[in-house]
Amino acid sequence: MDELKREIILENFQNPYNKEEVKSEDYKLVNTRNPNCIDNIDLYIKIEDNIIKDIKFNGEACAISTSSTSIMIKNLIGKSIEDAKRYIQNFYNMCDELEYDEDLLNEGIAFQDIYKQSNRKNCALLPYRGILKALEDYEN
Amino acid sequence: MYREDFPMLKQDIIYLDNGATSLKPQCVIDKMVDYYENYSANAHRGDYDISFKVDLEYENTRELVRDFINAKRKEEIVFTSGATDSINLIVNGFFANLLERGDEIILTKTEHASNIMPWFRVAGNTGAIIKYIPLDENSFVTLDNLKSVVTPNTKVISIAHITNVVGDVRPIKEIIKFAHENNIFVVVDGAQSVPHMSIDVTDLDIDFLFFSAHKMLGPTGVGILYAKYELMNNIEPINLGGGMNESFDSTEKMILKEIPTRLEAGTPNIAGVIGFSEAIKYLQKVGMDNIEKREKELRNYLIEKLLTIPHIDILNLESDSGIVAFNVEGIFSEDVSYYLNKYNVCVRAGNHCAKLTKDVFGIANSLRVSLYFYNTESEIDSLVELLKNKDKIMKEML
Ligand SMILES: Cc1ncc(COP(=O)(O)O)c(C=O)c1O
């Protein structure tokens, strides 16, 4: 992994964005975990009028999952559900070696090469699986 | 010393995950290949030479196991598919019929999933109650703490002899003596102890013991269930079918064979059981006391070295087995194992199937090194060298 990407991941691991437990009723809680490893993350999501107002997270997870969650949150706050889904799909595409738009990703680009480590791809995607579930729940 | 006997050790790896499974010596592999190449018939049924040989070899392993744990009779040894299969048979074939509403089952929070989940279900089905022995400040079991939870309703205590995360050796002899004075059955999970020390079921007066061949140089897919004769005779078979019946007819009457065959329905893992005989012989040749002693030396060596690294927290300093659990401060255990893997060092990260342990340690995840007699000081040196530099771990774990 090149130096810049490693730095982005480490920075988000050591100083994760919005990592705190939330008790407020305004937030919906979704838990996301990988069956084959021990990553276990709670996402707290506040959506109002189809806009993601805030996301926080808590839990125990490896450097890849933690930083991926931190970066995802930074990118999704303020987005409409539709834009959020676009961001998420684009991130999935990158991990699945499909066509994707680099310019949309911001710090998410740090996981550009994660597909080469198949066991860690699931770590990077962990928060995305959780948020998708939350968005689905919101829409239904 | 013994390393040349293990084909896996010819690879450039440092294998420190023996608690998960052990490596196999060539003689075990050869024994299984010999079966498949030279007398590959079914057991218990043949009227021809090679099938007769299968029976002889299969029963020979049973005799070796009997001798290895010093059981009184061969009928006290049943082959299963693994430790997990054995405990499920004990719980569902024996205790499910015995337990009643309000009876108490005593466990600890550091048990492996296999020695917890079957009990959860039987408790749910019978109305029995699960209680946990409070653990001391080292997460150990003491006789006094056991006494504090025993009541006249206590029917069974089911605990590991050595736990797979904390690695503490439980005082099972005292526990069993106390339990029997109070008419309580004791089930011992020997998965982490039988491979590493000499166990005498007669001297310890164990009621039920279970363990896996694959953690003691043997093949995967073979487990052992030991029960005292009269208890074994009261285990109701969970699996019915070929091999275990004497006759059945259209009135739906079934006559079953005697133990142990009654509890071994279907074609067993013949190659595995036969291969296991060589594992036992190998362990006996090395000597269980020598194995225990050697692992203590290795453990002390590892602990001494780890203690010199300030960013390493050892979680089970006071334990007395070849299992060492630790964390690198500020780094998630799986990231460390991922880093070590880059150097072909195999250690386990995670909660090690003991998910209640977090209630005890306050820590859900850790790295676990589990040693066997074929490990060496120089392997430990390599591990320690890799753990010394935290910046290097941080840099290379991604
Ligand atoms: C203490 C303990 N009990 C039971 C088991 C289950 O053994 P198996 O997976 O071979 O059935 C293990 C294996 O990890 C163990 O460590």
Side-chain angles (χ1 to χ4, degrees):
Chain A
M1 193 174 290
D2 73 41
E3 207 47 49
L4 187 63
K5 289 177 186 148
R6 174 175 293 126
E7 262 169 37
I8 294 174
I9 293 175
L10 275 185
E11 170 57 27
N12 278 281
F13 171 54
Q14 291 175 306
N15 302 299
Y17 185 70
N18 269 2
K19 185 161 190 274
E20 59 188 277
E21 197 182 335
V22 178
K23 292 256 158 65
S24 156
E25 298 267 306
D26 301 342
Y27 288 78
K28 251 192 81 74
L29 167 68
V30 267
N31 176 265
T32 179
R33 56 175 78 190
N34 275 329
N36 293 326
C37 73
I38 47 195
D39 293 338
N40 187 348
I41 285 177
D42 284 334
L43 292 170
Y44 306 91
I45 303 144
K46 185 168 150 187
I47 305 178
E48 277 170 16
D49 304 327
N50 280 320
I51 304 288
I52 298 177
K53 292 284 182 189
D54 195 19
I55 310 175
K56 298 189 195 305
F57 80 108
N58 208 353
E60 268 201 271
C62 68
I64 300 279
S65 291
T66 304
S67 59
S68 183
T69 308
S70 166
I71 291 169
M72 178 189 83
I73 290 177
K74 288 184 199 167
N75 279 288
L76 295 188
I77 291 178
K79 280 200 167 58
S80 66
I81 292 197
E82 204 176 311
D83 287 347
K85 281 186 171 166
R86 199 167 302 131
Y87 182 88
I88 294 166
Q89 188 57 52
N90 194 47
F91 189 87
Y92 262 96
N93 285 356
M94 176 180 76
C95 293
D96 289 337
E97 299 174 74
L98 300 172
E99 231 171 89
Y100 64 98
D101 184 350
E102 280 192 19
D103 298 338
L104 279 184
L105 283 161
N106 303 321
E107 281 185 321
I109 198 75
F111 299 99
Q112 194 170 31
D113 299 326
I114 206 76
Y115 69 90
K116 292 179 187 161
Q117 309 168 21
S118 60
N119 53 345
R120 302 222 99 181
K121 186 171 120 177
N122 282 327
C123 303
L125 286 172
L126 180 73
Y128 291 86
R129 290 209 309 270
I131 200 81
L132 275 179
K133 200 165 117 221
L135 294 182
E136 247 170 52
D137 289 351
Y138 179 80
E139 290 183 317
N140 292 324
Chain B
M1 185 171 28
Y2 303 102
R3 293 176 68 84
E4 57 276 15
D5 298 333
F6 292 81
M8 281 288 295
L9 291 174
K10 297 200 174 79
Q11 293 180 30
D12 178 26
I13 60 162
I14 295 182
Y15 186 75
L16 300 171
D17 193 18
N18 294 287
T21 196
S22 73
L23 304 178
K24 323 300 173 202
Q26 190 66 49
C27 58
V28 169
I29 300 165
D30 287 347
K31 186 81 179 170
M32 288 196 287
V33 171
D34 180 40
Y35 162 71
Y36 281 125
E37 285 185 347
N38 296 315
Y39 55 105
S40 181
N42 211 327
H44 306 309
R45 30 206 98 149
D47 297 317
Y48 44 91
D49 285 354
I50 55 170
S51 175
F52 186 63
K53 180 164 165 68
V54 170
D55 280 353
L56 284 183
E57 291 282 354
Y58 190 89
E59 290 308 316
N60 176 46
T61 307
R62 201 188 306 276
E63 170 55 25
L64 284 165
V65 173
R66 185 207 62 74
D67 177 58
F68 189 70
I69 60 172
N70 197 32
K72 289 190 184 122
R73 310 173 56 157
K74 272 179 67 168
E75 294 87 344
E76 296 176 327
I77 310 295
V78 159
F79 291 116
T80 64
S81 74
T84 303
D85 194 25
S86 299
I87 179 65
N88 275 278
L89 179 53
I90 296 169
V91 172
N92 299 315
F94 186 85
F95 287 97
N97 302 327
L98 174 100
L99 293 170
E100 291 176 6
R101 179 163 301 281
D103 284 348
E104 291 166 359
I105 300 160
I106 295 189
L107 310 172
T108 73
K109 287 198 171 171
T110 44
E111 298 307 313
H112 187 276
S114 301
N115 191 27
I116 294 207
M117 295 174 69
W119 293 111
F120 280 1
R121 189 162 67 186
V122 82
N125 289 346
T126 59
I129 296 159
I130 301 217
K131 290 173 129 186
Y132 301 98
I133 306 173
L135 302 175
D136 75 3
E137 67 280 6
N138 293 319
S139 307
F140 293 0
V141 169
T142 64
L143 188 59
D144 283 339
N145 282 354
L146 166 66
K147 286 181 182 170
S148 75
V149 287
V150 165
T151 76
N153 295 329
T154 305
K155 286 287 173 336
V156 53
I157 300 166
S158 187
I159 54 170
H161 188 186
I162 298 180
T163 54
N164 63 317
V165 183
V166 185
D168 53 321
V169 185
R170 268 84 179 261
I172 56 167
K173 188 158 184 176
E174 293 78 52
I175 289 173
I176 291 168
K177 183 165 176 291
F178 168 77
H180 288 169
E181 283 162 9
N182 293 279
N183 288 320
I184 300 166
F185 290 112
V186 181
V187 179
V188 177
D189 174 352
Q192 299 291 348
S193 65
V194 177
H196 301 279
M197 62 199 286
S198 149
I199 305 281
D200 182 329
V201 292
T202 303
D203 175 55
L204 292 166
D205 200 22
I206 295 179
D207 298 316
F208 300 90
L209 172 74
F210 63 95
F211 52 100
S212 281
H214 71 88
K215 294 185 202 279
M216 49 191 294
L217 313 185
T220 53
V222 177
I224 292 82
L225 158 59
Y226 160 82
K228 282 181 183 161
Y229 184 83
E230 61 276 21
L231 301 176
M232 191 68 98
N233 217 2
N234 281 305
I235 296 179
E236 195 182 319
I238 300 299
N239 294 334
L240 303 180
M244 56 81 75
N245 71 80
E246 217 157 80
S247 70
F248 54 90
D249 59 36
S250 52
T251 67
E252 294 168 21
K253 188 169 141 66
M254 301 187 283
I255 300 175
L256 306 184
K257 286 190 180 156
E258 299 293 308
I259 54 167
T261 318
R262 181 162 77 225
L263 295 168
E264 295 177 0
T267 300
N269 183 348
I270 298 172
V273 169
I274 291 178
F276 185 39
S277 67
E278 287 297 319
I280 296 177
K281 287 189 210 158
Y282 192 98
L283 289 172
Q284 281 173 328
K285 196 175 71 194
V286 181
M288 293 313 290
D289 293 340
N290 294 331
I291 289 174
E292 193 182 347
K293 191 162 143 266
R294 176 67 184 138
E295 285 171 18
K296 285 221 164 82
E297 280 168 18
L298 287 168
R299 178 193 165 87
N300 291 341
Y301 186 80
L302 171 60
I303 295 270
E304 200 178 290
K305 297 262 160 161
L306 287 180
L307 282 174
T308 64
I309 307 178
H311 53 262
I312 298 251
D313 296 324
I314 302 175
L315 302 177
N316 66 341
L317 203 49
E318 302 302 324
S319 292
D320 206 14
S321 68
I323 291 173
V324 179
F326 63 96
N327 270 313
V328 178
E329 248 167 48
I331 308 186
F332 198 60
S333 60
E334 275 196 336
D335 289 321
V336 181
S337 68
Y338 189 80
Y339 156 79
L340 292 173
N341 176 55
K342 289 187 173 169
Y343 294 89
N344 297 328
V345 176
C346 312
V347 304
R348 183 86 188 273
N351 53 38
H352 319 297
C353 299
K355 296 190 195 214
L356 299 180
T357 303
K358 66 173 182 296
D359 297 1
V360 180
F361 274 165
I363 293 172
N365 301 312
S366 60
L367 289 152
R368 180 186 72 180
V369 165
S370 48
L371 301 159
Y372 215 176
F373 62 93
Y374 45 63
N375 289 123
T376 63
E377 277 83 357
S378 109
E379 288 180 317
I380 292 174
D381 288 341
S382 306
L383 169 75
V384 169
E385 202 50 46
L386 286 166
L387 292 172
K388 262 187 189 155
N389 186 336
K390 193 167 159 184
D391 289 339
K392 181 172 148 77
I393 304 177
M394 281 283 207
K395 201 158 175 261
E396 297 182 15
M397 70 186 185
L398 296 173

